[in-house]
Amino acid sequence: MESPSAHVVSLPEDEELQPWGGAGGPGQHPRRLRSTECAHPGVVEKVRPKWDNPLQFLLVCISYAVGLGNVWRFPYLCQMYGGGSFLVPYIIMLIVEGMPLLYLELAVGQRMRQGSIGAWRAISPYLSGVGIASLVVSFLASVYFNVINTWALWYLFHSFQDPLPWSVCPLNSNHTGYDEECEKASPTQYFWYRKTLNISPSIQENGGVQWEPALCLILAWLMVYLCILRGTESTGKVVYFTTSLPYFVLIIYLVRGLTLHGATNGLAYMFTPKMEQLANPKAWINAATQIFFSLGLGCGGLIAFASYNEPSNNCQKHALIVSVINSTTAIFSSIVTFSIYGFKATFNYENCLNKVILLLTNSFDLEDGFLTTSNLEEVKNYLASTYPNKYSEVFPHIRNCSLESELDTAVQGTGLAFIVYTEAIKNMEVSQLWSVLYFFMLLTLGMGSMVGTGTAILTPLTDSKVISSYLPKEAISGLVCLINCAIGMVFTMEAGNYWFDLFNDYTATLSLLLIVLVEIIAVCYVYGLKRFESDLRAMTGRTLSWYWKVMWAFVSPLLIVGLFIFYLSDYILTGTLQYQAWDATQGHVVTKDYPTYALAVIGLLVASSTMCIPLVALGTFVTRHFKIREQFSAA
């Protein structure tokens, strides 16, 4: 592979397809250029870097798509919407939404051989805002997403302690008992909310930057910088590691998980279908959004990756492979998660039963070993009828133990990754080993996604002649990471987790739906589906099947419009937007309303990307109008 900074004063060795909007102006049919048409004596052309081989491109797409959403969101959705029955809408949405849109973006990037801004500008100058919107979304996502890697590093460093610091409650200041907040919650929750986040009671109490998370954040951004330092040269090597390691760890965890006591309870819960959920529209909506966001559609990363391909690369095959691997990984990781989840639920259930048995044995002076889990209910009924007064005194202290309720507890996001998993890990043998493996896997998954997001940001910037003429690629990468790290310090404050949730919930949802909708309309109805088909045939030598054309022209855009309407109506019906705040006095989260300034930030997050599309189009129209008037006046 040639160096990204290599320059030549010679003609291209191969004929290149002229970009859309080239000879003849926007909308004219592209044609192959003769080498004489490219010749400009004395002009220095920048050679675009390429992947070493198609496998490298495939791996970077998989590393970008397969991320934390496969580990901490898909299992949650399975749990919420009917276990095995959720796979029905999920697979349908993969076919009608995921694969077509992924192929569209890969084809556009490979055809144009530019980042998101240049690719859409080449189709039409009025569409430059689509690429800018993708750039803004990727930038905002990278600001908060690397905080997850910060937490993974924090937990990884603490995983070498014996015992694990989240396995027991610390002593209080008087050393007369355990910390009150920890006793009301649990050791794992206490370590997350108090030791990791040192969380404030509300988003309005920001507190100061905490130096330990801040150092971890700096380290996380340094790792990202080293991965994206020289573009495809460094990224192409890193993905071999970030793609393969998570599967290696997941396989180890699968073997371990299946051997855990109670794992079958979790797997039975996952694969027992609740067919009534198929009539729930939210199950279909969430299946669609999971496919949509897990593949990274609309962020510009896929277009950037494909722009470094050979024009003849079979991007259709790669779109199918990436889509299938991404969804298969989500299902596979769910099996791992539910086996561990079943162990955790069974452990908590049996621990609850043992506490009830101990309470009744001591209260009624029963013989040790007389009460067992098998005769517990029978003995409870006997004691209640024989000693009604005494039993009524003990009854308020008897916990209601239920395996089903333990399994029904739905947790997603940071709660699943940093509370549920750690709860299970602390009860495993050689818990330090499993903790190191898990958080190292979490870190590599997060880094894989960050490498893709970083490429989505850097490719349009390095493609810009204005920026690249003043700064080398290494300096641009460094500035992007430095700015992101500085802004990310907000998430290391005491209220940082609340701001993280706000960014996570509102940065990309509506924005990406609008971006991808405009992308489809631009290709199918602005440029023209027939011309796009002709370009693909000239580029790859393959004919576009009816399936892709039907999906692009009708099914996918209608589905996105439906999702867009659903989200808007859901926000309107919800009323005041709310968040989950930690109440240390109660030892659990409580629901609070966002303050006015937080609502303003939410509006700014959505508008900062979506408004790029109409504003840039309007600016282009005004600029062209004045240029035409000047030319007319000069004539």
Side-chain angles (χ1 to χ4, degrees), residues 70-110:
N70 300 75
V71 175
W72 74 14
R73 190 166 189 268
F74 183 81
Y76 163 79
L77 293 175
C78 278
Q79 186 180 31
M80 283 290 292
Y81 298 108
S85 57
F86 179 73
L87 297 179
V88 175
Y90 180 77
I91 293 172
I92 291 174
M93 290 302 173
L94 172 67
I95 295 171
V96 302
E97 179 191 44
M99 292 189 293
L101 297 180
L102 179 58
Y103 180 27
L104 180 76
E105 292 203 355
L106 293 182
V108 169
Q110 183 171 307

Side-chain angles (χ1 to χ4, degrees), residues 72 189-190 237 252 310 333 421 435 438 452 510 513 546 568:
W72 74 14
Q189 286 181 312
Y190 178 82
K237 305 297 186 296
I252 294 175
E310 294 285 354
S333 64
Y421 258 93
S435 183
Y438 172 70
L510 292 173
L513 290 175
W546 64 268
L568 285 177

Side-chain angles (χ1 to χ4, degrees), residues 18-31 527 531 535:
Q18 183 177 347
W20 292 318
Q28 296 298 312
H29 191 69
R31 55 191 174 86
Y527 180 72
R531 288 180 176 175
D535 286 325

Side-chain angles (χ1 to χ4, degrees), residues 242-256:
T242 59
T243 305
S244 58
L245 182 78
Y247 288 101
F248 177 71
V249 175
L250 280 173
I251 290 171
I252 294 175
Y253 253 96
L254 177 66
V255 175
R256 177 60 180 136

